């Protein structure tokens, strides 16, 4: 909900008011991400149910792959929460959570730069889980039974993961260099 201007706030001229007010066009985007969060919660419960019901028939490797899939869903869900809460707070309006016992600790000092670094780290975590799942399933590469993984696919996935890591390092470095020395965390 938009915050009302205080009596001491200067009134914006029409064009700046329109431009500033346009930030509310992002609200449906964040609401859509909340719906996507619900889809991921449903997917998690579905996969968890599958794991519980079929545990006696699954091998240890299959259980490990399902558990990694559950972790993947949780990490993507965490990424969604960072984007929803941090993005809304940064780009649309304050949530007014100060003093709330459940306020995320990182939200106190969130800004666009910190959000970018956190998102990059979350993407690396998600990519790591995908790569680990690939490595676990890759033991049968080249066998006639396994058509899921190819050597080239594994190499490309590893290269893409490495690019994610280099990108995150680049984002963090640029963020660090763009901060005045007094503002840098010690």
């Amino acid at each position: 909900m938009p915050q009302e201007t205080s009596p001491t706030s200067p009134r914006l001229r029409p064009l700046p008011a329109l431009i500033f007010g346009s930030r509310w066009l992002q609200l449906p985007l964040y609401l859509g991400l909340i719906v996507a969060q619900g889809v991921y919660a449903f997917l998690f419960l579905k996969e968890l149910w599958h794991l519980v019901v079929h545990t006696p028939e699954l091998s240890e490797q299959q259980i490990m792959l399902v558990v990694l899939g559950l972790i993947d869903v949780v990490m993507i869900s965490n990424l969604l929460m960072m984007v929803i809460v941090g993005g809304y707070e940064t780009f649309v309006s304050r949530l007014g959570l100060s003093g709330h016992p459940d306020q995320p600790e990182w939200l106190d000092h969130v800004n666009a730069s910190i959000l970018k670094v956190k998102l990059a780290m979350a993407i690396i975590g998600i990519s790591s889980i995908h790569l680990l799942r690939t490595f676990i399933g890759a033991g049968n590469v080249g066998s006639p039974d396994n058509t899921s993984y190819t050597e080239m696919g594994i190499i490309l996935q590893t290269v893409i993961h490495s690019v994610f890591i280099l990108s995150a390092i680049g984002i963090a470095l640029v963020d660090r260099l763009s901060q005045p020395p007094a503002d840098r965390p010690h």
Side-chain angles (χ1 to χ4, degrees):
M1 186 170 232
Q3 293 180 345
E4 295 180 9
T5 57
S6 68
T8 58
S9 300
R11 211 76 177 130
L12 293 176
R13 294 178 315 216
L15 183 58
L18 175 67
I19 292 169
F20 184 62
S22 71
R23 72 191 191 282
W24 287 99
L25 292 173
Q26 290 189 15
L27 181 61
L29 306 178
Y30 290 113
L31 294 175
L33 289 178
I34 291 169
V35 172
Q37 179 85 329
V39 170
Y40 267 100
F42 175 77
L43 176 65
F44 181 89
L45 293 173
K46 183 178 125 190
E47 288 297 313
L48 182 61
W49 178 254
H50 173 78
L51 176 64
V52 170
V53 169
H54 297 288
T55 296
E57 310 144 20
L58 298 174
S59 69
E60 181 182 353
Q61 183 176 355
Q62 290 170 319
I63 290 171
M64 191 182 325
L65 289 171
V66 172
V67 170
L68 285 173
L70 292 173
I71 292 168
D72 189 37
V73 170
V74 169
M75 292 181 77
I76 291 172
S77 184
N78 290 343
L79 175 65
L80 278 168
M81 283 312 301
M82 277 192 286
V83 171
I84 293 166
V85 174
Y88 184 88
E89 176 91 8
T90 302
F91 300 112
V92 179
S93 184
R94 298 277 178 233
L95 290 169
L97 297 176
S98 292
H100 193 281
D102 293 332
Q103 177 188 3
E105 181 183 310
W106 57 268
L107 196 57
D108 277 342
H109 50 273
V110 73
N111 61 38
S113 293
I114 290 172
L115 196 55
K116 279 190 287 189
V117 172
K118 285 190 174 297
L119 292 176
M121 296 307 294
I123 289 168
I124 289 170
I126 293 165
S127 176
S128 297
I129 294 296
H130 280 264
L131 197 55
L132 181 58
R133 287 176 72 185
T134 298
F135 287 160
I136 289 171
N140 300 326
V141 170
S143 73
D145 306 351
N146 185 7
T147 57
S148 308
Y149 301 101
T150 64
E151 287 180 31
M152 183 54 76
I154 294 169
I155 290 168
L156 288 175
Q157 200 172 352
T158 304
V159 167
I160 291 168
H161 179 71
S162 300
V163 169
F164 285 156
I165 291 172
L166 290 174
S167 296
I169 291 170
I171 289 169
L173 185 61
V174 167
D175 182 55
R176 179 103 173 144
L177 293 174
S178 66
Q179 290 181 12
D183 293 344
R184 290 183 184 159
H186 300 293

